[in-house]
Amino acid sequence: MKTCDLPAYAIADLVRTRQISAVEVLEDALERIRRVDGRLGEVDAPRAESEEDLSSVHAFTQVTEDYAREQAQKIDQLVKDGENPGPLAGVPYTAKDIFTVKGVRTTAGSKILSNYIAPYSATVVERMEAAGAVMLGKVNLDEFTYGSSSESSTYKPVPRNPWDTSRVVGGSSGGSAAAVAAGEGAISLGTDTGGSIRHPAAFCGTVGLKPTYGRVSRYGLIAFGSSLDCPGPLTRNVTDAAITLQAIAGHDARDATSAAVPVPDYLAEMEKEVRGLRIGLSEEFFRVTYFDAESMELVENPIDDQIREAVLSVAGFLAQLGADIVTDVPMPHTKYGVPTYFVISRVEASSNLLRFDGVKYGYRTSQSFKDLPELYRKTRGEGFGVEPKLRMLMGIYLSAAQFDKGYYQRALKARALIRQDFETVFDPRGKYRLDALLTPTAPSTAFPIGSVYGDSVLMQYSDQLTATTNHAGIPGLSFPVGFDRDNLPIGAQVLGPDYSEGRLLGIARAYEEVTEEKAWRNLKPPLVAALDS
Ligand code: GLN
């Protein structure tokens, strides 16, 4: 039996009960990688061109085979010794190449970290290992997680969507979503600053969970926007997301913003029924509003009809299960999510990127330099790609003393108003008393590779439906809800108040269960289906 397409919980069960060894599971996964992934992403390598390149996933920047084998053998030994190997015993997973793993190269998809071997592991990686999971390797991402298509990585070829390899995987945790969708590991760890877990999850037809800010430790995560970043899981089903969250959530003394809030039993929470829950729909999440630089006007565009219908059909199923669907919920500041994000995330990014200077670690220019500033200039000029440079320039400009009140302070005010929108509708004594909001995850399905990349403003608008979650610090869960006419996955998300992950998992699980028999649930990405036939 091949284990690549099994849920994580099923694999762990087989390993724990000695029906299969962790090493055998690992061999299955490595074989799947060999068959579908193609050329590994490498710094400044040629783009995809050959027939084989164009039809492969390219999720990985690195396969850590020896590391994985050591972990798998350890799990098998524990099982043999009659000890508890953990809830994710022998489950193969991948980590977005933004998490440090001790002794393993950690690049952030950037040349400036292309030679960086991390001296310590991220807390989430340690916790995955403690739960018995086996890391297959590092997966590709937008450079420093800046993007919504994973095309900005310096590591080429960039990932391609397993459902249609001419399409992007979304981003920035695109390698994570692609790997999970293609059965290269049952779980991937991603990060979400403005949508980077949920967006690629929607594009690749996986589940993706952005936890409440502080719920999961950021220690060992290369920082983008420190007030927005959240690590979380991407999986093929809701139960696996619950089990993974259980493994990685909880206070960490090494992250000062980590929350000391007790961690509930997520599986138990997930099993609670949706009957009686108040679930809201807001028109503000069914359109994208952006500033058109040519006409100098605000332009409003409805999202794709097929996505709208798919999300409304989820509401229909939830209503059948006894949930109260509340329509016309006002979320008036949703349209400011991206402009606000533009300012706050760029300011935080430019500050976080200052540490890469060619002195302490990472890439250093091989040219001669006469003083320290020149070393910095040459190293940073050569080491950073276009997107980080753009964001640094923007961040430095926006935070300049003379603009302080005009941009950053205003963005912080807008951020507070965005948070207030959510507080108002989730207020248990308020007019709406919602338990969750149901919205589309992204305004479109996966777009063709090369069609948006290069227009960094348009790319950013891919996040309009996700970024407000990060501003507010609340949790959001994206889950697959069907396919469009081009056979591309559609994602919906549920958003809830702080620490309501259990409830969000419950809503998504209820929907998953009631649609279990639907034909679309059995579809596999063509390149995976081709392996079976
Ligand atoms: N697409 C967003 C950006 O470009 C989100 C990135 C993220 O969440 N890390 O900033």
Side-chain angles (χ1 to χ4, degrees):
M1 175 184 38
K2 290 286 180 234
T3 49
C4 300
D5 303 309
L6 291 181
Y9 63 80
I11 295 174
D13 222 43
L14 291 171
V15 170
R16 270 196 303 264
T17 53
R18 297 183 74 162
Q19 297 180 65
I20 194 163
S21 71
V23 170
E24 285 172 281
V25 175
L26 171 63
E27 295 307 337
D28 281 355
L30 292 172
E31 188 197 317
R32 172 63 63 88
I33 296 169
R34 279 192 293 273
R35 295 190 68 178
V36 304
D37 211 60
R39 195 149 59 86
L40 280 183
E42 271 181 85
V43 71
D44 288 337
R47 288 159 197 282
E49 257 177 17
S50 69
E51 197 57 39
E52 195 199 333
D53 268 359
L54 295 174
S55 58
S56 300
V57 181
H58 308 289
F60 284 77
T61 52
Q62 196 181 174
V63 179
T64 48
E65 202 171 319
D66 297 339
Y67 189 92
R69 202 158 271 127
E70 215 172 282
Q71 288 179 303
Q73 281 161 355
K74 212 171 69 196
I75 298 300
D76 286 335
Q77 193 57 47
L78 286 175
V79 175
K80 237 195 219 145
D81 296 346
E83 294 194 39
N84 182 359
L88 293 171
V91 174
Y93 82 99
T94 56
K96 183 178 185 177
D97 202 2
I98 198 82
F99 293 105
T100 59
V101 180
K102 190 174 176 178
V104 174
R105 198 185 63 189
T106 299
T107 72
S110 182
K111 184 172 184 167
I112 208 152
L113 281 174
S114 51
N115 61 0
Y116 173 59
I117 310 289
Y120 65 100
S121 286
T123 297
V124 283
V125 169
E126 280 183 355
R127 290 187 181 178
M128 286 298 278
E129 283 177 20
V134 172
M135 191 184 79
L136 296 170
K138 293 299 204 66
V139 283
N140 214 341
L141 68 164
D142 280 296
E143 187 173 358
F144 281 101
T145 83
Y146 304 163
S148 304
S149 67
S150 303
E151 291 165 284
S152 69
S153 179
T154 311
Y155 284 69
K156 302 284 191 292
V158 298
R160 307 180 80 84
N161 196 311
W163 294 95
D164 174 349
T165 54
S166 72
R167 306 267 174 165
V168 301
V169 287
S172 65
S173 310
S176 292
V180 168
E184 305 171 278
I187 302 168
S188 189
L189 293 177
T191 58
D192 194 311
T193 307
S196 277
I197 288 176
R198 291 162 288 156
H199 184 274
F203 275 25
C204 293
T206 77
V207 172
L209 172 62
K210 174 230 173 280
T212 309
Y213 182 79
R215 174 78 296 180
V216 176
S217 169
R218 290 184 295 116
Y219 180 77
L221 157 63
I222 296 170
F224 167 8
S226 306
S227 75
L228 301 158
D229 294 342
C230 292
L234 292 97
T235 56
R236 282 188 298 272
N237 65 76
V238 178
T239 308
D240 286 354
I243 299 173
T244 310
L245 180 63
Q246 196 79 52
I248 62 177
H251 183 247
D252 177 12
R254 293 178 296 186
D255 171 2
T257 59
S258 136
V261 177
V263 179
D265 178 342
Y266 288 117
L267 282 179
E269 294 285 310
M270 186 187 80
E271 293 302 335
K272 289 188 183 159
E273 58 173 21
V274 298
R275 178 169 306 280
L277 289 185
R278 291 172 61 82
I279 299 175
L281 292 170
S282 169
E283 276 309 316
E284 269 90 4
F285 278 87
F286 288 90
R287 55 177 176 250
V288 177
T289 313
Y290 64 97
F291 182 73
D292 181 50
E294 259 160 47
S295 64
M296 304 288 269
E297 301 278 350
L298 273 182
V299 184
E300 221 172 61
N301 269 324
I303 63 157
D304 187 329
D305 258 356
Q306 304 173 80
I307 298 179
R308 182 187 178 89
E309 306 272 292
V311 175
L312 295 181
S313 108
V314 178
F317 279 110
L318 295 172
Q320 275 173 31
L321 293 171
D324 281 334
I325 304 297
V326 182
T327 54
D328 296 320
V329 175
M331 295 293 291
H333 298 97
T334 306
K335 60 173 171 289
Y336 302 121
V338 166
T340 304
Y341 178 84
F342 231 101
V343 178
I344 293 174
S345 75
R346 268 58 172 184
V347 171
E348 292 187 12
S350 66
S351 154
N352 275 324
L353 290 182
L354 285 172
R355 68 192 65 160
F356 305 106
D357 55 12
V359 176
K360 296 182 283 293
Y361 48 80
Y363 174 84
R364 174 185 291 189
T365 182
S366 52
Q367 296 182 55
S368 62
F369 50 88
K370 60 176 190 306
D371 54 14
L372 210 48
E374 193 173 314
L375 166 67
Y376 294 160
R377 219 168 33 243
K378 287 184 171 165
T379 295
R380 289 164 67 83
E382 294 162 23
F384 286 120
V386 175
E387 194 59 36
K389 281 179 183 159
L390 248 180
R391 294 200 182 202
M392 276 187 281
L393 289 173
M394 194 73 158
I396 292 162
Y397 177 85
L398 292 168
S399 57
Q402 70 268 36
F403 298 136
D404 179 43
K405 297 265 181 320
Y407 294 116
Y408 192 64
Q409 295 300 328
R410 276 180 89 184
L412 290 181
K413 281 185 193 155
R415 185 173 184 178
L417 293 171
I418 290 167
R419 164 96 190 167
Q420 218 168 64
D421 277 0
F422 286 109
E423 282 181 352
T424 303
V425 300
F426 294 146
D427 180 355
R429 284 169 300 278
K431 176 171 174 203
Y432 295 95
R433 303 182 306 285
L434 297 184
D435 294 295
L437 263 169
L438 170 68
T439 84
T441 306
S444 74
T445 52
F447 39 82
I449 290 176
S451 66
V452 178
Y453 185 62
D455 184 338
S456 66
V457 176
L458 183 61
M459 188 70 89
Q460 189 75 83
Y461 275 94
S462 227
D463 301 325
Q464 183 165 321
L465 313 179
T466 47
T468 54
T469 318
N470 301 73
H471 289 310
I474 59 170
L477 172 68
S478 180
F479 54 104
V481 298
F483 290 82
D484 71 2
R485 282 186 288 272
D486 297 320
N487 297 317
L488 298 169
I490 299 174
Q493 61 175 350
V494 271
L495 311 174
D498 296 342
Y499 306 107
S500 63
E501 287 87 350
R503 187 192 302 146
L504 302 184
L505 288 159
I507 295 170
R509 174 62 196 138
Y511 170 75
E512 188 180 65
E513 207 171 2
V514 48
T515 54
E516 217 146 52
E517 304 297 321
K518 297 269 169 217
W520 65 267
R521 284 262 176 224
N522 291 319
L523 295 176
K524 283 183 180 174
L527 48 74
V528 173
L531 298 176
D532 299 341
S533 58

